[in-house]
Amino acid sequence: MTMLDTTTEVLSTRYQKSVADYWNKEQDPVNLRLGEVSGTFHHHYGIGDVDWSVLEGPEGTREERTIREMHRLEGAQADFLLDQLGDLGPADRILDAGSGRGGTSFLANLRFGCQVDGISISEKQVGFANEQVRQRGVADKVAFHFRNMLDNGFPDATFRSIWNNESTMYVDLHKLFAEHARVLTPGGRYVTITGCYNDVHGRQPSRAVSQIDAHYICDIHPRSEYFAAMAANNLLPISVVDLTAATIPYWELRAQSSVATGIEEAFLTAYKEGSFQYLMIAADKV
Amino acid sequence: MTMLDTTTEVLSTRYQKSVADYWNKEQDPVNLRLGEVSGTFHHHYGIGDVDWSVLEGPEGTREERTIREMHRLEGAQADFLLDQLGDLGPADRILDAGSGRGGTSFLANLRFGCQVDGISISEKQVGFANEQVRQRGVADKVAFHFRNMLDNGFPDATFRSIWNNESTMYVDLHKLFAEHARVLTPGGRYVTITGCYNDVHGRQPSRAVSQIDAHYICDIHPRSEYFAAMAANNLLPISVVDLTAATIPYWELRAQSSVATGIEEAFLTAYKEGSFQYLMIAADKV
Amino acid sequence: MTMLDTTTEVLSTRYQKSVADYWNKEQDPVNLRLGEVSGTFHHHYGIGDVDWSVLEGPEGTREERTIREMHRLEGAQADFLLDQLGDLGPADRILDAGSGRGGTSFLANLRFGCQVDGISISEKQVGFANEQVRQRGVADKVAFHFRNMLDNGFPDATFRSIWNNESTMYVDLHKLFAEHARVLTPGGRYVTITGCYNDVHGRQPSRAVSQIDAHYICDIHPRSEYFAAMAANNLLPISVVDLTAATIPYWELRAQSSVATGIEEAFLTAYKEGSFQYLMIAADKV
Amino acid sequence: MTMLDTTTEVLSTRYQKSVADYWNKEQDPVNLRLGEVSGTFHHHYGIGDVDWSVLEGPEGTREERTIREMHRLEGAQADFLLDQLGDLGPADRILDAGSGRGGTSFLANLRFGCQVDGISISEKQVGFANEQVRQRGVADKVAFHFRNMLDNGFPDATFRSIWNNESTMYVDLHKLFAEHARVLTPGGRYVTITGCYNDVHGRQPSRAVSQIDAHYICDIHPRSEYFAAMAANNLLPISVVDLTAATIPYWELRAQSSVATGIEEAFLTAYKEGSFQYLMIAADKV
Amino acid sequence: MTMLDTTTEVLSTRYQKSVADYWNKEQDPVNLRLGEVSGTFHHHYGIGDVDWSVLEGPEGTREERTIREMHRLEGAQADFLLDQLGDLGPADRILDAGSGRGGTSFLANLRFGCQVDGISISEKQVGFANEQVRQRGVADKVAFHFRNMLDNGFPDATFRSIWNNESTMYVDLHKLFAEHARVLTPGGRYVTITGCYNDVHGRQPSRAVSQIDAHYICDIHPRSEYFAAMAANNLLPISVVDLTAATIPYWELRAQSSVATGIEEAFLTAYKEGSFQYLMIAADKV
Amino acid sequence: MTMLDTTTEVLSTRYQKSVADYWNKEQDPVNLRLGEVSGTFHHHYGIGDVDWSVLEGPEGTREERTIREMHRLEGAQADFLLDQLGDLGPADRILDAGSGRGGTSFLANLRFGCQVDGISISEKQVGFANEQVRQRGVADKVAFHFRNMLDNGFPDATFRSIWNNESTMYVDLHKLFAEHARVLTPGGRYVTITGCYNDVHGRQPSRAVSQIDAHYICDIHPRSEYFAAMAANNLLPISVVDLTAATIPYWELRAQSSVATGIEEAFLTAYKEGSFQYLMIAADKV
C-alpha cells in the first residue's frame, strides 16, 4: 500500500508546484502512445542505432512502425540504466526517484525480483503508476508514492540502489544527493542518466539549452555540478559514459514522427553544437 | 585611442562567441529608436512611474510619445545607478563593464567629469560607441574597448568605480567579481543593476525566466549567487534596493508599444509571480 | 505564560554570564528615563533629524524636551525596522531576539496584531518586560522568555519574521543565523539593525570601536561577517541601508543630554572617521 | 633537444629524492625483458584476457611466450589509454607525465603524429628514453625531460592532452592537477590509468595496499581523492571505466612468470578483496 | 556492567573487520611479556632515556631486565599522557578510545579516582580488560566496551576528557574528532599521542612508514591532518610536544630485545630520516 | 643599508595609519626605561618567576631593582622564543616581523650569527633600531625596514625562520601567514608568542580583552584563529606552549612598578578569569 502525503507537505516552493502542475496535466502522445506499445510507460529518451527502414514501406502503418521503434530505443535506455545498478536480488530494496508513469520501476522488478519504490511530485503520475501495479499484480513488490525526492520520508540506509532517470533537472543536486546518500546503504549504488550542459562549451547554458529549460520548466545543470554535488555527499563515481552520440538517432527519428512535441530541434542543436550532453553516471555510497 | 584585441583572445568559449554574435547582429528598435530620442543609446530597462497619458491624444504621434516616455524611464534607471557610484571627480577613472552602445558611460562622464572606459565583447557595439565618442568630442575622457569583462586587461587597482548595467547574466559571477576586485582601488565602489531569479520562489528558474534566458542566450543567476560571489571576492555590500515594483510600469508600457520584442510577457509574468527580481547592489572593495 | 529555563542551561559560557550580569544590573537613565516618556522602553539608538530647538527655551524643562526628542528618534528607528518585516497579519508569529525591556515587541504587536515572542539572557529584563505584558493586557499575544538566542528552544519553522535590534554584537553570527534560519518559515524575513565595523577602514576594529566593545562587553563584528554568516545560513539579503548619517544627530544630541553615559564620544568618533557603520539588513529565508 | 634541469630544482623534498633514487636504480626484468620484445618499454601493467596456452607447450620457450604475452597485455593497456585522448593530429602537442622509459609516448606519436613531451624525476629513465628518441629518429617530435610533474616548467595552455599512466601515486593529486590544468588548453583532455584504493572497502588502505606502497615507496590514493582533486582544478570527468576485472588476468600470469617481483600476491589480494581498483578516468579542462 | 554490541553494528567496513581480526589474534610478547611485569598491559611505545646497564650483567636475567626497562618506559609514556588531561576528580567521567588491554585506563582511574570507559573494536581485548576490571575490583569505576570509536554510542557531552593512545591511525580523523567533540563536555580536554608522518619530509609517506602501515594494517596520517581535523571539529590545541627524540631510545632497546617483532628497523629509520614523528597534542573542546 | 619605502605604500588602510601613529608617538617608560638597563629595547612582556625581594630593601633603589627585574623577565621571554627557531647558523637569514626597537633581532644575531631583517610600520621605531645597528656595528648582518608585514617586499623563500613577538594582533592572520609562508623556505620555521583570547571562555572577547584592544588599538584574535590561519597557509604546528601562568608574575610586578601604564589590571583580570592566554606556537612551512 502506498502512503499518500498531503500536497502541502510534498510541494514546498512555488517552483515545485509549477512543475507538479505541468506533469499533472501532461498527456503528451510521445509518452502515452509509446507506452501503449508494450504497456510499459517511460518518461525518458532512447539510445542506440535507429532502424531507418521504419520510415519506408506502407504509409498507413509508418506511424505505428515509428512509434514502435522509438519505444524500442527508450527500452534500450532503461536496460542500460539497469545494467549499472550492481548485483541485486529479491532481498534487496531499490528506489526510482522521479518515477513518472512507472516504466523503469516495473522493468527493474522484472529483472531483479527486488522490492521497488517509486516517488513523484505528480499525484496524477503516482495514481497512474499504482493503477499499473494493480493490473500487473505486483503490489507486494512495487509501490509508488506522492513524495518529494528532496525529502523522501524513508528511513536511513533503506535502499541498495537508487536511480534518477532524467529527473534530476528539476531539483538542487546538493539537496538531492544529500537525501539519496541518507537512504542508501553503505556501499549502495546510485545511477543517473541525465542531460547536462557542457562546461567546456561555456559556463552558461546555450540558447538551445534554455529553450529546453523553458519547455519543461526545468533547470538543466552543468556537468560539473553533478560531480561536485556527488563529492559533497559521499557518492563516489565508478562509471561514467557519454551517451550523447547514442541518443542523437532517437531525436532524429522523433523529429520526423507524428509525436514530435516541437522541442526536438532544440535537443538536436544542443547535442550537435556540443553545448549539451547525455550522460550516465554510476556512483557508490561511501 | 582604444586598443583593439583580436577576436580569438577576447572570446574564449563557444558560448561567448554566440553571445557576441547576437549583439553584433542586434538592431532592435527598442534600443535604436529610444536612443535616437536624445542621442544616448541604452541597453537596459527603465524604472519609475509611467505617464500613461502618452497613450492618449493624437494617434499619429502616440508612438513618438511612447518611445520618448520609455527613453525617459531608462534614463531614470541610469541616473539611479550613477547615484550609487560614490563621490567621484575629474581625477577618477571608472569602468562600464558591458557598455553596449555607450549610454551610461557618456552620462557618467557628463555627471562626474571623470575618465570612463567601456568594454564589450561585441565589436559592433564598440565601434558604434567609439563613433559616438568622436561625435561628442570626448576622446580625451571616454573610450570603448573590444574586451572580455572576465579578463579586462587593465592593470591592478585602476578604477575607483565599476558597474554592470544589466550585463552580468552573460558570465560566471565568481570570475567576474574576481576580475573586478583586481582592478578596483582599495575602498572602490562596485554597482550592478540586474535581473536575478528569486531563490525564495524556488532553487530553479521558472519557465518565464528560462524564456528570457533563451531569448537573450543569457543565464540569469539566482539572487544568492550575487552575494556569494561578492563575498568570495572581497566585495562588501553597502546598499541593496529591490527595484522590481519600480520596473514593472516600464514593461507594461513597452508591451503596448511598437517596439515590443515579444519577450515582454515573460518579464511581466516572472516579475509578478515573484520568480524574478530587479535588483540594485552597491558594494565596496575591501 | 512564558516558560522559564534555568540559568545553567541558558548561559553556557562564562562570557555569556558576564553579559547577562551586565544587563541584569543595568539601570541606565538613557534607557529608563526615555522609556518613561511613553511607557515603551527601548534598548537601541535613534535615527532621523534632530529638532535642535529642544536645547533652547526655558532651562527648567530643557532636559525633559531633550529626553522626549531622543525618545522620538529611537521610536523612529523601531518604526523603520518594523517597515522591513514584510506583510504580517494577526495570524503570524514573530520573534524579537534580544528583546531587552520589550519596546520593539510591543510596537510590532500594535502594528500587525500578530503574536510576538521576545527572548533575552537577562532574567531581569525578561521579568520587566513580562510585567509590561501584564499591565498592557496583551498576555494572549506577547510573551518574553529567558532564553539564549543561540539555542532558542522553539520548533523549526515557527516564525514568519525575526529581528535583532542592536543585539547581534553579543554572539557568534554563524551560530545565531543558523538558529534563526532553523525557526524561520520558508520565505520568512529576517531584519537586523546593528552597528558594525567597516572592513574598508581596516580589517581590525579601531580604538573607538574597541572602547565600545569594552563598555558593553560586546564584540562588534565587521560588516563582512554579517553577509558571510547570512550566506552560510540561507539568509538572502533583499534590502540594505546604511543608516550611519541618520544616526549621528541622535548621538550629538545625546552627548549634550543629562543621560549621556560617557560612551557618546567613542560612537561619534567611530562613525565620523568611517570605522563604524549603522546598518539595516533585511534578508529572506531560502 | 631536451632541457636538463638540475637535480636540486627538480626534486624538492626528501621523499621525492627517495622515489627518484628508486627508479634510477631500478633494473626490473619485468620492465626490461618485456620492453625488449618489441623495443617499446612500458612501466605499467596489462589488461585483457590472457592466452593461457602460453604456459603449455615446450618448456624451453615457455618463458619467452609468457613474456611476449605479458607485453601484449601492457600494449593493450597503452592502446586503451590512447583511445581516450580525443581527436589529435600532427599539429597538436601532448604530455606524458611520468614517462618512464618512454613506451606510451612513442605509441602516441606513432598513432597521432603529434608532438610528445615526456617528463620524469628519474634522470636515468630520461636518459634511456632520449636514447630511444635518437634510435627511432623522432627527435623532431618526441622529447623527454628531467622535470617534476608538480612544476613542469611548460608555459600555460601548452598541451591538448596530458596523461598519467600509473604515475599519480607518487604525488599530491591537488598539486598535480593544478599543474596539469595550468598547461592544458581550454577544452583539453586529461587521462589517467591508476590503481586507487576503494573508499567503499574502508577509509584506510588495506594491508595489501600498504605493502604495495612500501614496495614502490608510493602513496596509493583513495578513489575519492581523484574526483575531489579534479573538481578542485577544473578537470571535469567525461568517462570513467573500472578496469579491475580486466587487469587481474595479467597479474595471475605474471605471478607464474620468471619476472615476478614478489609484489604480485599483494596486487591479487587487494584487487580480489575489493580494497583496490584499477581505474581509467578521462576528464576535460574547463 | 558493560554493554556488548553485536559485531555487525560495531564493524561497518571490511577494513575495520580486518583490523579487529588482527587484534583479536594478536599475542605479541612485546605486549604480553611487558604487561606481566606489573600487571598493567599497554599497547603503546615508551619514552625517556634508557638505562643501558640492563644489557650488561648476568646473561641469565638480561632479558628480564630489558623487559622491565621497556615496561618502565611505556609507563612513563602513559604518565606523560595523563599529565595532559587537565584537573580531574572522582566526579568526572573520561574515555579511553582504543583502550587495548586497558593499561592507560587503569592508571587514569588510580591517579584521578574518576570513572573511566574504554572502547575497542577487538572483542578479545575488551574481554581481557574486563577480566582485569574484575581482578582489580574496580567494576564500579572502570568498564570496557566493544564499540567503534567512530560511533561510540555515548550521549552528547558525557566526558570531561578523552584520549587516544596510539590508536588514531586506524580511522578517519575527521570522523573520529567529530565523534569525540560530540561526547566531550564544553571546555573538555582531548589528548592524543600518535605517530604521524611529517609533511615537511614529503606529502607522501616514506617507504618505512608504509612498512609500518602494512605491519599493523593501519594508515598513518600526516601531521597536518591532525590539526585540520581538530580545527574542523572545534578541538582547539593548547599544547603540542614533539616526542620523537624521546621515543628513539625505547626503539633502540627494543630492537635488541627478545620481544622485537621485526618492525623496529622501520620505526628507527622513519624517525631518524625525519619522515615520521611521535607527537603529543592536547586540545580543548570549544 | 635598509630600503625605505614611502608611507603611502606601506600603510594601506586608515586603521594601519592609526596604529603606526600610535607607535611613532609612543615613549612609554615601560619600554624605554627597561631597554636602558642593558641597551636592548623590547616591546613585549616577560615570563618566569619574579624575585620579589626587589620590592624589599632600600627604597631609594627599589625602582631601579624593579626595572632591572622586569627587564630580566622580558629577556627570558625573548630567549624562550629564540629557543624555538630551530638550528640556525651564520649562513641563514631570518625575519623579525614587527621588530619594534629591535631587541629580539639583536639577540638573535648574537646567538646564531645569522643575518636578521626586522620590519615595522612605525618609521620612528625603524629609525631608532637602525641607529642601534650603527652603534653596535652590525650593519653587515642586521637591518630594519619601514615595511608592512602583510606585504613585506622580500623575494619568495628568503627566510629560514620568521617570528612575531607580540605583533600579530594588529593584522589579519590569514593575510599575515600567507605572506610569511611565501617568504619562508620549504621546511622553514615560524614562531609567534602572542596574547590570544580563549574560545573556551566564550566566542567573544571579554570586557578586559576589549580594554586591551582599545588601549593598543589592536584586535586580539581568538586562539582558534591562529590554528585556522596557519592551516590555511601551510604552516604546520610542531610545538605549542601555554605561557599564561608564566607571564602573570611579570604583570603583578609591573602593576606595582613606577612604569605601570594603567593597562596592568586588564591583563591580570583577563589572564586570571581565563578569557585571555599567553601562547607560544612554533610551526613548520610545508
Side-chain angles (χ1 to χ4, degrees), chain D residues 14 171-172 201 204 273, chain E residues 14-15 171-172 204 214 273:
Chain D
R14 277 180 284 170
V171 293
D172 181 278
H201 182 273
Q204 279 68 37
E273 75 188 7
Chain E
R14 278 180 283 170
Y15 169 78
V171 294
D172 181 277
Q204 279 68 38
E273 77 188 6

Side-chain angles (χ1 to χ4, degrees), chain B residues 142-207:
Chain B
V142 184
F144 296 92
H145 316 267
F146 174 48
R147 296 194 191 172
N148 190 326
M149 63 175 97
L150 298 183
D151 182 15
N152 62 41
F154 292 104
D156 292 3
T158 298
F159 300 105
R160 185 95 194 94
S161 299
I162 298 179
W163 72 87
N164 284 99
N165 201 350
E166 291 177 19
S167 50
T168 53
M169 54 285 289
Y170 293 103
V171 294
D172 180 279
L173 293 181
H174 281 269
K175 292 195 163 182
L176 178 67
F177 294 162
E179 183 68 349
H180 283 355
R182 186 183 66 75
V183 296
L184 272 174
T185 54
R189 172 67 49 93
Y190 171 67
V191 177
T192 182
I193 294 184
T194 188
C196 56
Y197 77 80
N198 181 7
D199 307 68
V200 174
H201 183 274
R203 294 278 187 179
Q204 279 67 37
S206 66
R207 180 197 288 261

Side-chain angles (χ1 to χ4, degrees), chain A residues 60-80:
Chain A
T61 55
R62 180 179 300 161
E63 190 198 347
E64 194 199 321
R65 289 193 305 274
T66 304
I67 297 288
R68 197 177 297 273
E69 177 65 358
M70 286 172 64
H71 185 59
R72 187 182 65 79
L73 298 174
E74 62 183 22
Q77 191 262 22
D79 279 344
F80 180 75

